[in-house]
Amino acid sequence: MGIIDWLADKVQESTGEKERRALVAKAKSLCSLFRTRVTEAIDALNEQINKFNNSIQKLNSVRASTVKENIDTLFLFLRKYGNCKTSREYALESEKLPEQFPQREQDSIENYIAGVDWSSDEVFWNTFLCTPLGMRFKTRKQNLSMREGINNLQLKLDKTLLELETKRQDTELEQQICGKYMECICFISDFIKDNILPELDLVDAFFQAQQIKDFLICRQSTAGLQFSYPITVLIGTPYEKHYQFVRNAFFFYILSCAFYDTPVLTNLLAHKATQEDLQEISDERTMIDQCAGMVEKNRLLNNGKQV
């Protein structure tokens, strides 16, 4: 090193210029790391958001398909046998829920890092100090400001990565809840269509046949005959199994209505779902499975054939 270079170096040290340049280089490196790490975290979050949106799309399709139709058809059958409320009256959350659940927007690096040309040290540092990536330290000595700014940027990186990972985990949980919900309402819909409605057709036919027989025995005309379905008269008779089936089908209907518009969906819509909501879905599925088992015990038909 020549005397001129040596003197220049000493001047830079005495003025703090050398340290300033080193700090600027360190800050640039940290900002580059910030962008890289945050971009990776956002990519992981968006991948999970895509999975969630696919689940929401399926959920909207399922809820708009035959599920509600089958529940409402079950209501039309059950109201003939006694006092039965509509599905809305058993599910108070229904008024809070939309017909279609919205998909979630993906996140973007621009939400965390301002796009700035950092090719110049001065432009870089001024930007760093005066944007969300740093604090405004203009009133302090520059090198002290730089060191504090670098520390703040490191804290900002750690906080941002934690925030993004929390969002990713929350989205993953919501996708799990969405999947569990869809499995259950698909089961409800299929069970009503395949196991309950055919049996109720049989019960209806039983009452109609009995009343037609009574009219014929009394030599009365069946023209304009209005059928009635006094299900409770079967208690204590050889046909009590019909009564027990209708009774259990009614319980299944109530559970189905409540689950279709479960409060868990309200939390899902507000992005406030928790592990407790996932457990609640599982508990509700257990109750529905148990009720389905009770319905099965009193069925006379199996795949459309008497058992």
Side-chain angles (χ1 to χ4, degrees):
M1 176 186 297
I3 187 63
I4 301 295
D5 293 333
W6 181 83
L7 287 172
D9 187 57
K10 288 301 182 181
V11 170
Q12 288 182 0
E13 285 183 1
S14 64
T15 61
E17 177 64 18
K18 188 173 183 178
E19 182 186 10
R20 189 191 71 83
R21 291 186 181 277
L23 288 171
V24 168
K26 183 176 181 180
K28 277 189 173 182
S29 176
L30 184 55
C31 282
S32 176
L33 177 64
F34 190 109
R35 179 179 288 275
T36 299
R37 295 286 304 280
V38 171
T39 297
E40 291 172 350
I42 288 175
D43 288 343
L45 171 60
N46 286 339
E47 181 180 355
Q48 193 62 56
I49 288 176
N50 281 336
K51 293 179 181 179
F52 173 77
N53 285 341
N54 288 336
S55 296
I56 286 295
Q57 186 176 8
K58 293 177 182 177
L59 178 133
N60 286 332
S61 176
V62 166
R63 280 174 60 87
S65 62
T66 57
V67 178
K68 190 68 166 61
E69 179 182 338
N70 285 335
I71 291 176
D72 289 342
T73 301
L74 180 54
F75 162 73
L76 295 177
F77 268 96
L78 293 176
R79 70 176 182 176
K80 292 182 291 186
Y81 297 101
N83 184 27
C84 184
K85 300 177 183 178
T86 65
S87 58
R88 182 175 292 272
E89 292 178 273
Y90 287 116
L92 300 180
E93 294 289 314
S94 60
E95 294 183 1
K96 302 178 185 178
L97 299 175
E99 292 295 327
Q100 295 283 310
F101 281 74
Q103 295 189 342
R104 182 175 298 180
E105 292 185 4
Q106 291 193 336
D107 215 335
S108 170
I109 187 69
E110 282 71 25
N111 294 331
Y112 303 90
I113 298 179
V116 178
D117 179 11
W118 290 341
S119 58
S120 162
D121 284 356
E122 291 299 328
V123 171
F124 166 78
W125 194 249
N126 287 335
T127 300
F128 176 68
L129 291 175
C130 301
T131 64
L133 295 182
M135 301 295 292
R136 299 178 183 273
F137 296 115
K138 290 278 190 173
T139 59
R140 303 184 186 179
K141 292 181 180 180
Q142 192 175 52
N143 287 354
L144 178 60
S145 298
M146 288 182 180
R147 286 193 294 270
E148 292 180 5
I150 289 171
N151 290 336
N152 277 278
L153 180 57
Q154 182 64 59
L155 293 174
K156 174 75 173 179
L157 172 59
D158 295 340
K159 180 180 179 182
T160 301
L161 292 177
L162 178 60
E163 176 187 347
L164 288 169
E165 175 59 17
T166 300
K167 286 183 179 180
R168 189 198 66 78
Q169 292 178 3
D170 289 345
T171 306
E172 182 179 19
L173 174 63
E174 290 174 353
Q175 184 201 355
Q176 292 175 1
I177 292 173
C178 191
K180 290 286 187 182
Y181 173 83
M182 284 192 295
E183 287 178 10
C184 193
I185 60 171
C186 286
F187 169 78
I188 287 172
S189 180
D190 291 342
F191 189 80
I192 290 174
K193 176 173 64 73
D194 298 332
N195 298 61
I196 295 182
L197 296 182
E199 187 81 12
L200 289 178
D201 273 331
L202 177 65
V203 178
D204 277 9
F206 167 80
F207 275 103
Q208 292 168 10
Q210 286 295 113
Q211 291 172 51
I212 291 174
K213 182 186 72 173
D214 291 342
F215 266 69
L216 292 177
I217 290 176
C218 296
R219 299 180 180 278
Q220 295 179 332
S221 171
T222 59
L225 173 62
Q226 297 291 322
F227 295 111
S228 60
Y229 304 88
I231 193 69
T232 55
V233 301
L234 301 182
I235 298 175
T237 73
Y239 308 106
E240 184 172 349
K241 207 168 187 180
H242 288 322
Y243 165 78
Q244 294 297 340
F245 179 86
V246 172
R247 180 173 178 269
N248 291 331
F250 176 73
F251 291 147
F252 189 87
Y253 168 74
I254 294 176
L255 288 177
S256 299
C257 293
F259 184 81
Y260 183 81
D261 288 320
T262 173
V264 172
L265 290 182
T266 304
N267 293 341
L268 190 68
L269 183 65
H271 304 305
K272 294 181 179 179
T274 64
Q275 286 289 342
E276 286 74 16
D277 290 315
L278 183 61
Q279 184 60 48
E280 183 173 340
I281 289 285
S282 298
D283 293 344
E284 289 176 336
R285 175 61 192 267
T286 298
M287 288 190 294
I288 288 170
D289 286 342
Q290 291 173 348
C291 190
M294 293 170 59
V295 171
E296 282 289 300
K297 286 183 180 179
N298 293 285
R299 284 182 67 208
L300 297 178
L301 294 178
N302 185 12
N303 294 325
K305 297 180 181 179
Q306 188 166 344
V307 294

